[in-house]
Amino acid sequence: MGPLLPYDLLYYSGVRAYFQEDWDKAAELLEKSIANKESMRRLRRKCHEDCFDAGTDMLAKLDSEGGSLWDLQALEWVQQRAECLRFCVGRSVSPAGLLPVSIDIDYEFSTRNPYNFLQVIYYKLEKLQKAASAAHTFFVANPSHLEMRNNIEKYRRMKGVAEAAFQDREQHKEMHWALYDSALLSEASSDWQLAARKWRESVNETLRQTEDCRVHCQMSPQSLPEDRGVDGVDGVFEKAAVLSLSLLSCQQSCVTQVATRPGRISAQEDFLPTQLEHQHIAQFKADDLAGAIQTLRSLLLFYPSDTDSLGNLQFYYETLGEDKESQDKDKQPAQEIANYVNRSLQEKKLLYFGKENLGSDFIDPDLWTPEDVIPESLRESWRAEKEKLNKKVKEEEKEEEMDDSGFYAGGPVPQVGVTITMDDVAMNGTNRVVLDGVITSKECDTLLQLATAAASAGDGYRGRRSPHTPHEKFEGLTVLKAAKLAQDGMVNQSDARLLHELGERVRTLLDSYFRSPPGLFFSFTHLVCRTAITGDQEGRLDLSHPVHVDNCLLEPETGHCWREAPAFTHRDLSAVLYLNDNFDGGDLFFTTRDAKTVKARVRPGCGRLVGFSSGPVNPHGVTAVTAGRRCALALWFTKEKLHRDVEREEAEALWAADGQGVAKATEDGEAKGTSGRSGRSQTPKEKSRGRGRVTGGKDEL
């Protein structure tokens, strides 16, 4: 095997072959460019480790030798390290491969554009499994790419394309995010021992990914100041200072890189401290007090005066029954966290010194940087920036707490026998309610039988078998389909009409409880069942339905929720009426807008109704159904007549044509018969801002 060729040359050659429609050659070159880039990354890490001790014998003499000898000893250490690295890398890489790679090529790979080309190439070569894998890998980092989203949907419908093909080929570079999400899932399931273990793994992987990034900064070619347009740097020491500050700035920016999900623009603030906070809470709930104390003391290295953390630490000591002094000796912070914080503080001091005295640029990636690290002359501007950031965070928190839906929880419950089990206070939120006794066990059994007899595999109107997770089979039935099946004698008329009538019952209850404005229309009614696929649950880490908002596209990292297509922006009120509880998992849960903290949890059961406003104050998800079949009636309501459920009206028209009226609650609450559909409103449809973001689809509850 010869020396590694430069991956940028291979990429250029592959793109050229692509436009020449030489598909086999293009596939070979682009795959080799991806492989060589990864091989170069691993080689640099290995050489960094192999040469770590090179010249260190000189370091021992630095404190004992004086004058010019000190300079010579330092230079000898640098030279020995450089010689080792040059030899280590040079014996495996071609001379051209040692040259710097352009910013444009770095951008192409950071946005995963090689997979964009490979998706087309493999489709042309009729290698559909590979095409689907490339498409999925590209889409993970480009979730707003509408064309690729459509391509993936087409691949899912093609024969010969297995669900296993839709794997992220770059996932090994983002394992900390997989572990992070797995830890959140374990928390949502209240499996605290597993959550504690997953948070520990997530923290360790975050540290490892950060170290990999820092090594890349050290091992990548660096241009001299004059090559970067830096003026006034003439002497050797000035150039050395600029290069060293550039290296430290690159290494500090690794915090931001590691904390940014693929496909996201902004990083998650306080990524590592946030994980430590989750970890110590999970350890405490898993009865690992010693581990919780160590993790909490590690967290306090970032925020040593945080009152909540200090209070928790005191509580842990008291619970353990030992005094603080003896515990302080035994339960020190994790050494790897202490090293991380100490190194970061030393680097920040040097970088702020360079910013103050040498005019270098530095953007601090951390919120936890203590003020005493900042030079006096820079503190005023630093405080202003910090205050600006804190104000922004508070505004976002305030925005999260406000609900402008026009619904006001706390109205009367007009049905005898229905009780309020949980309200806003119990559910830690706004415009949420859990009602019990809405339907009888007989009615639950009737709808369960109807679902078994008539529900379609898939989501009921696009035919996707597993739209949210490959580990569950998804089935659905609409009111119109039930009416047509009843008309054809495939199901009982009374069962189909019950499906319709229960929707009216739910609307009456929620219209009253949430004191909704006049004119609350059905937007969609859906009998939904999720069945755990037997033999496909081991090692499962996903949710039955990821955290989302029903009428906007949630971006957890920034807290924003974009009310635009493809979200169902017209939805105003959401509801789910449960039919059974004989399954494992499948709990509904509500979170904060960052999707990190579970605020409330609802266990399904026959006759239990959950209602909530559909906007960003109510992010929610469903835990994995790991055994059995979970069935529920999902409903959404809208205040816009234009977006009413026309299919529901078609079903009513079918019954009316057969001389069978249906009971409907009118706007004034009176039950009346209907024999046809109402006229269409000519209200103009609200236009979206057209940002073209695609981060979610159907929002089944």
Side-chain angles (χ1 to χ4, degrees), residues 146 551-553 561-570 640 643 684-694:
L146 294 173
N551 68 9
C552 55
L553 304 175
C561 205
W562 307 101
R563 195 159 185 176
E564 57 189 39
F568 298 92
T569 57
H570 55 276
E640 300 179 45
H643 294 292
K685 185 175 180 180
E686 181 185 353
K687 296 180 180 179
S688 76
R689 288 177 285 132
R691 297 177 68 253
R693 299 180 62 85
V694 181

Side-chain angles (χ1 to χ4, degrees), residues 653-664:
L654 281 178
W655 284 315
D658 291 339
Q660 305 175 42
V662 292
K664 291 182 63 180

Side-chain angles (χ1 to χ4, degrees), residues 343-445:
R343 180 180 64 186
S344 184
L345 289 174
Q346 291 299 319
E347 290 175 350
K348 291 176 191 294
K349 288 178 182 177
L350 292 170
L351 285 160
Y352 277 114
F353 178 87
K355 187 173 184 177
E356 179 186 35
N357 299 290
L358 302 175
S360 63
D361 292 327
F362 171 54
I363 299 175
D364 196 330
D366 294 309
L367 295 175
W368 57 268
T369 303
E371 186 169 317
D372 58 11
V373 171
I374 316 299
E376 199 65 53
S377 63
L378 299 176
R379 286 185 186 178
E380 187 174 346
S381 60
W382 177 80
R383 289 192 194 104
E385 283 296 317
K386 192 168 184 179
E387 180 62 30
K388 184 178 178 182
L389 180 60
N390 289 335
K391 185 178 179 181
K392 181 183 176 183
V393 171
K394 288 179 181 178
E395 287 175 350
E396 288 177 353
E397 289 175 350
K398 185 178 179 181
E399 179 186 354
E400 182 174 344
E401 295 168 357
M402 294 177 61
D403 186 358
D404 59 358
S405 63
F407 297 105
Y408 302 95
V413 177
Q415 182 179 327
V416 177
V418 174
T419 58
I420 300 173
T421 303
M422 299 176 73
D423 59 8
D424 281 356
V425 175
M427 299 181 77
N428 298 309
T430 304
N431 282 331
R432 302 173 184 173
V433 71
V434 175
L435 303 176
D436 278 325
V438 174
I439 60 176
T440 65
S441 58
K442 183 178 179 181
E443 288 171 327
C444 287
D445 291 340

